[in-house]
Amino acid sequence: MPAAAAQSADGVLDDTPRHVIAIVDDDARLSNSLRRLLEAADFATETYDSAEAFLARDDARRLSCILLDVHMRGMSGIELLGRLRAIDSKVPVLLMTAIVDAATRSQALSMGCAAFLSKPVGGRMLIGCIRTAAGV
């Protein structure tokens, strides 16, 4: 999958590709924590505070994976997953939620999400799921 270049601490551009992970969650604290975790694992990140903000971005195809909250204000993660599948997006989507119910989990998996995770998600588990989904 396409990836972004990184800049080292000394300002030198490193053209070694990094996988780009989109984080879509309306909880700013959690998004920031996830961003720090993923960047420490050498992923590039983009954060969005809503499904609508994510849809307004320029090009989802350059993403390696989307980490998506199920329950958000406005459009839900399930609705966004449906829209992505309707436009035939092949970007792997991992859904996460603090409120786990069998119907939502079943719906998400039937729509092709790569993983359905319960919050709080352990860092190692999350990174492993992302690497598997993104083929890293």
Side-chain angles (χ1 to χ4, degrees):
M1 291 253 164
Q7 192 166 11
S8 67
D10 60 5
V12 175
L13 186 64
D14 176 7
D15 62 359
T16 305
R18 289 178 37 189
H19 290 271
V20 181
I21 311 302
I23 301 165
V24 185
D25 197 313
D26 59 357
D27 180 337
R29 291 172 126 188
L30 180 60
S31 287
N32 193 41
S33 293
L34 292 170
R35 178 190 55 77
R36 286 192 316 265
L37 172 72
L38 296 179
E39 288 177 357
D42 206 30
F43 290 105
T45 62
E46 297 177 1
T47 58
Y48 302 91
D49 63 0
S50 69
E52 293 84 358
F54 175 81
L55 287 172
R57 69 183 301 280
D58 58 351
D59 185 12
R61 290 175 297 182
R62 68 181 203 87
L63 295 173
S64 297
C65 187
I66 302 167
L67 182 57
L68 179 58
D69 186 21
V70 171
H71 301 283
M72 295 183 284
R73 292 179 297 278
M75 183 187 303
S76 74
I78 294 289
E79 289 173 291
L80 177 54
L81 176 59
R83 287 208 185 178
L84 293 170
R85 294 307 178 240
I87 61 169
D88 204 30
S89 171
K90 303 294 186 217
V91 177
V93 174
L94 282 72
L95 283 164
M96 57 186 178
T97 184
I99 305 167
V100 180
D101 69 84
T104 302
R105 182 180 191 284
S106 177
Q107 180 183 14
L109 293 173
S110 72
M111 294 171 71
C113 79
F116 191 85
L117 306 167
S118 299
K119 291 180 183 178
V121 181
R124 286 187 182 148
M125 180 175 153
L126 179 60
I127 290 168
C129 288
I130 289 172
R131 286 188 172 138
T132 298
V136 179

